[in-house]
């Protein structure tokens, strides 16, 4: 007779079915304790069954199969089938994380031993934004955009540096570079802002002065009723002073500035002279400028122009002997400065030299010195 436990379709943990009636029990022969190996003698008047409980494969006092029902008043039944314990799954080949756990690459987003993968986006982003922001920051009219990107790069770099310190990222170097570039960009943008503010204030002051002068020229009287003084004229040469002088004479301007051109003297250039050709007439003069005014005089633009009587330009001679020494710098009030100039006249010149000079270009009228040359 088959029971639900013996049916192939029944699960192993199904309860057993009704037991069949037990048949006649076969007589059991008793074996003396002295004949059982490894056993001790049982005291007289006590049987082995009373001395110790029956031990079965399932433990002491647990009935097993049909034999357990003997003497218990219950009919014997078939042996109970117990489900087998489920075995642990075999570990993955080569897995260092224990049985049933795949290796890191098989689980996306999880590194060795379950540690999350490091993030490197903030440091790289800070570096890129810092470079682009610095390029915009050096442009005069785009510095505001560079300043904004510099602030963004600085913030991202600081956050990325903090993550790198906590072990959550590996872009510490990029984060530090982004912080530095962001700070430099902010400084450059701030400098441009200061420059524009100062320039705007300067333009405003100039406009105010121009408006004040225009208003003063339009009103001949001051607010208190007195006549406004006329503006002083620009320094010019006096009407009694001729515009052409002989060499060695001094021309005096109205503000006290004096200019003197010496008599030309023959000059011999060295072998490395520039502006001189064989057969030309080489001459050298000394020019003296005395600042008799109350203000400093810039003589950098005092450049003499030499020509012959027909207007042909004479070339300036430069050599290793310092034939020509140009004016430089500023002359203080009451001081003077001298400079030598050498000129070469063509061989077919008419024998006359003219030098035109002004102590300061556009501020003084030029004067001509002229005379024959030998």
């Amino acid at each position: 007779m088959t029971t639900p436990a013996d049916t192939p379709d029944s699960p192993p943990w199904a309860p057993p079915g009704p037991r069949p009636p037990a048949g006649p029990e076969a007589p059991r022969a008793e074996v003396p304790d002295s004949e059982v190996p490894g056993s001790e003698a049982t005291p007289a008047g006590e049987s082995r069954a009373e001395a110790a409980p029956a031990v079965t494969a399932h433990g002491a006092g647990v009935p097993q199969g049909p034999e357990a029902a003997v003497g218990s008043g219950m009919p014997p039944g078939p042996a109970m089938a117990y489900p087998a314990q489920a075995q642990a799954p075999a570990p993955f080949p080569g897995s260092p994380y224990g049985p049933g756990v795949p290796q890191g690459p098989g689980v996306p987003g999880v590194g060795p031993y379950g540690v999350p993968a490091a993030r490197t986006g903030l440091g790289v982003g800070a570096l890129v934004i810092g470079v682009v922001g610095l390029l915009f920051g050096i442009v005069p009219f785009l510095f505001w955009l560079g300043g904004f990107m510099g602030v963004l790069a600085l913030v991202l770099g600081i956050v990325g540096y903090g993550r790198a310190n906590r072990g959550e990222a590996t872009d510490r170097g990029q984060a530090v570079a982004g912080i530095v570039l962001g700070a430099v960009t902010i400084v450059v943008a701030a400098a441009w802002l200061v420059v524009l503010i100062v320039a705007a204030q300067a333009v405003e002051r100039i406009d105010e002065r121009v408006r004040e002068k225009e208003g003063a020229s339009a009103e001949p009287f001051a607010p208190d009723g007195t006549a406004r003084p006329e503006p002083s004229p620009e320094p010019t040469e006096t009407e009694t002073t001729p515009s052409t002088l002989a060499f060695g004479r001094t021309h005096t301007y109205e503000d006290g500035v004096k200019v003197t051109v010496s008599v030309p003297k023959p000059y011999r250039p060295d072998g490395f002279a520039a502006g001189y050709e064989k057969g030309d007439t080489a001459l050298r003069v000394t020019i003296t400028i005395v600042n008799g005014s109350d203000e400093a005089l810039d003589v950098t633009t005092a450049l003499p122009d030499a020509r012959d009587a027909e207007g042909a330009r004479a070339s300036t001679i430069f050599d290793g002997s310092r034939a020509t020494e140009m004016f430089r710098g500023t002359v203080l009030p009451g001081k003077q400065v001298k400079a030598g100039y050498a000129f070469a006249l063509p061989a077919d010149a008419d024998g006359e030299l003219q030098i035109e000079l002004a102590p300061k270009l556009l501020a003084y009228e030029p004067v001509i010195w002229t005379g024959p040359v030998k």
Side-chain angles (χ1 to χ4, degrees), residues 13-32:
W13 54 83
R19 299 180 180 180
E25 182 179 1
R28 302 176 66 179
E30 293 187 4
V31 181

Side-chain angles (χ1 to χ4, degrees), residues 57-132:
H58 302 288
V62 179
Q64 180 179 10
E67 295 80 5
V70 178
S72 61
M74 296 182 64
M80 292 185 295
Y82 291 92
Q85 290 184 340
Q87 296 182 355
F92 281 81
S95 174
Y97 313 121
V101 180
Q103 276 185 311
V107 182
V110 178
Y113 306 101
V115 178
R119 295 171 291 180
T120 60
L122 293 180
V124 176
L127 176 60
V128 174
I129 295 176
V131 172
V132 178

Side-chain angles (χ1 to χ4, degrees), residues 235 251-253 255-260 287-291 297-304 327 329 331 337 356-367 369:
H251 177 76
T252 304
Y253 289 90
D255 61 351
V257 176
K258 299 179 181 180
V259 180
T260 304
I287 302 175
T288 305
I289 299 177
V290 179
N291 185 9
L297 178 63
D298 185 6
V299 295
T300 306
T301 58
L303 301 174
F327 288 106
V331 183
V337 63
E356 184 176 352
L357 175 67
K360 184 176 181 180
L361 190 64
L362 301 179
Y364 295 87
E365 291 292 333
V367 180
W369 283 263

Side-chain angles (χ1 to χ4, degrees), residues 329-359:
T330 303
V331 183
L332 298 177
K335 303 297 182 178
Q336 67 178 8
V337 63
K338 294 183 179 181
Y341 288 84
F343 302 100
L345 290 175
D348 56 351
D350 58 358
E352 182 178 348
L353 179 64
Q354 297 179 0
I355 295 179
E356 184 176 352
L357 175 67

Side-chain angles (χ1 to χ4, degrees), residues 29 38 50 66 79 247 326 362:
E50 296 176 357
F247 288 115
M326 304 178 68
L362 301 179

Side-chain angles (χ1 to χ4, degrees), residues 314-329:
S315 59
T316 305
I317 301 175
F318 296 93
D319 60 2
S321 302
R322 302 180 66 180
T324 298
E325 299 176 348
M326 304 178 68
F327 288 106
R328 294 186 181 90

